[in-house]
Amino acid sequence: MKISCIQMNMILGKADDNFAHAEELVRETVSGEHPDVVVLPETWNTGFFPKDLAPCADRDGERTKAVFSALAKELNVNIVCGSVANRRAEGFFNTAYVFDRCGEVAAEYDKTHLFTPSGEHEAFQCGWHTCRFELDGRKCGLIICYDIRFPELTRTMTLEGVDLLFVVAQWPEKRTMHLETLARARAIENQMFLALCNSVGSAGETRCGGHSAVIDPFGEYLARAGDGEETITGEADFSMIEPIRSSINVFRDRRPELYKIR
């Protein structure tokens, strides 16, 4: 499976500009790289996040679904559409959407762990479910940014059946080392492929650090970005997963009766 991560720059609070730019980048990527899956970063429609979300947030994903469902079908590509600031009757959510090659919604996920140091919990409501789906017959999962700091979430999803984890983020430049370390750790400990798509540019006073990556189950980089707007592409060979899980069988050797996670 060929995976392209679009490390997009966005304009804070300018949804029209960001939608146009995201569509342009997806078209360019599919034309140039011919991937099976294209990935966008976290809250690419607004940036993370403007002070007044009401004028620029999507409304129950209507615009995102209309644009990217049609685009996925037209281009015959799976689109992991990052996440968008999303307004529903219950409030604002940080919502990820995934579209398959037919333009159908393969998954929808509200970020479960909100980043309290930046006040995300004051602007958004949290989600209450994990995110697993299939693309081209492959078992996938998705988490958003801060979620990656909670290994129990990723392990739960892997035990339920995930071979490829998508991580969409707006991770700050000053903690780039944390992001790279956590991404490789999640891939290694769960013996799976991981596609990380971070953003670049500034969100208020915070500069996002890029360094998107496609990582194999050994924690090796198949593709790795720098700190500017760019697209990276890596290819996941799923035939390597079973030999790794058989030779170092961490799932068989687990001792869940000893784990006291509440």
Side-chain angles (χ1 to χ4, degrees), residues 26-46:
V26 169
R27 289 185 179 278
E28 289 178 357
T29 299
V30 173
S31 175
E33 298 292 331
H34 308 290
D36 298 298
V37 187
V38 175
V39 192
L40 289 169
E42 180 185 17
T43 54
W44 56 263
N45 67 326
T46 60

Side-chain angles (χ1 to χ4, degrees), residues 68-117:
F68 288 93
S69 172
L71 195 60
K73 186 175 182 179
E74 176 194 340
L75 301 177
N76 187 32
V77 68
N78 301 293
I79 301 178
V80 176
C81 202
S83 76
V84 295
N86 189 32
R87 185 178 188 179
R88 299 202 293 265
E90 314 93 283
F92 293 97
F93 293 82
N94 186 338
T95 306
Y97 293 98
V98 179
F99 303 93
D100 65 19
R101 294 178 186 270
C102 297
E104 298 296 325
V105 178
E108 182 175 335
Y109 169 68
D110 295 324
K111 186 176 183 180
T112 52
H113 298 94
L114 302 179
F115 192 57
T116 57

Side-chain angles (χ1 to χ4, degrees), residues 4-230:
S4 292
C5 296
I6 298 175
Q7 189 165 276
M8 176 180 165
N9 193 356
M10 62 214 69
I11 304 172
L12 196 67
K14 300 293 185 180
D16 290 345
D17 293 329
N18 294 330
F19 264 91
H21 190 42
E23 181 176 353
E24 176 188 32
L25 290 173
V26 169
R27 289 185 179 278
E28 289 178 357
T29 299
V30 173
S31 175
E33 298 292 331
H34 308 290
D36 298 298
V37 187
V38 175
V39 192
L40 289 169
E42 180 185 17
T43 54
W44 56 263
N45 67 326
T46 60
F48 190 88
F49 44 80
K51 291 182 179 179
D52 185 6
L53 283 168
C56 54
D58 204 348
R59 290 184 177 273
D60 200 17
E62 289 179 1
R63 185 175 186 180
T64 304
K65 292 174 187 176
V67 171
F68 288 93
S69 172
L71 195 60
K73 186 175 182 179
E74 176 194 340
L75 301 177
N76 187 32
V77 68
N78 301 293
I79 301 178
V80 176
C81 202
S83 76
V84 295
N86 189 32
R87 185 178 188 179
R88 299 202 293 265
E90 314 93 283
F92 293 97
F93 293 82
N94 186 338
T95 306
Y97 293 98
V98 179
F99 303 93
D100 65 19
R101 294 178 186 270
C102 297
E104 298 296 325
V105 178
E108 182 175 335
Y109 169 68
D110 295 324
K111 186 176 183 180
T112 52
H113 298 94
L114 302 179
F115 192 57
T116 57
S118 71
E120 186 179 13
H121 64 297
E122 297 172 355
F124 292 92
Q125 304 293 313
C126 64
W128 292 94
H129 63 82
T130 60
C131 182
R132 293 186 300 118
F133 53 95
E134 288 193 5
L135 293 178
D136 293 351
R138 298 298 179 183
K139 297 176 180 178
C140 304
L142 184 147
I143 60 176
I144 301 174
C145 204
Y146 189 43
D147 284 337
I148 203 172
R149 288 189 180 270
F150 300 86
E152 56 270 42
L153 173 64
T154 305
R155 176 50 59 89
T156 296
M157 295 165 63
T158 308
L159 290 171
E160 294 172 344
V162 168
D163 295 331
L164 168 60
L165 181 68
F166 294 99
V167 183
V168 300
Q170 283 225 23
W171 198 278
E173 183 178 52
K174 64 182 178 181
R175 289 190 291 275
T176 294
M177 183 272 288
H178 290 192
L179 178 61
E180 293 185 310
T181 302
L182 290 164
R184 296 181 78 182
R186 296 297 86 84
I188 293 167
E189 70 195 7
N190 294 292
Q191 299 171 328
M192 65 184 180
F193 288 92
L194 186 147
L196 163 67
C197 188
N198 195 23
S199 61
V200 293
S202 298
E205 298 179 357
T206 301
R207 178 169 175 78
C208 297
H211 288 82
S212 300
V214 181
I215 303 169
D216 75 11
F218 282 121
E220 300 291 341
Y221 288 110
L222 302 175
R224 189 182 185 189
D227 58 5
E229 184 173 85
E230 64 177 296

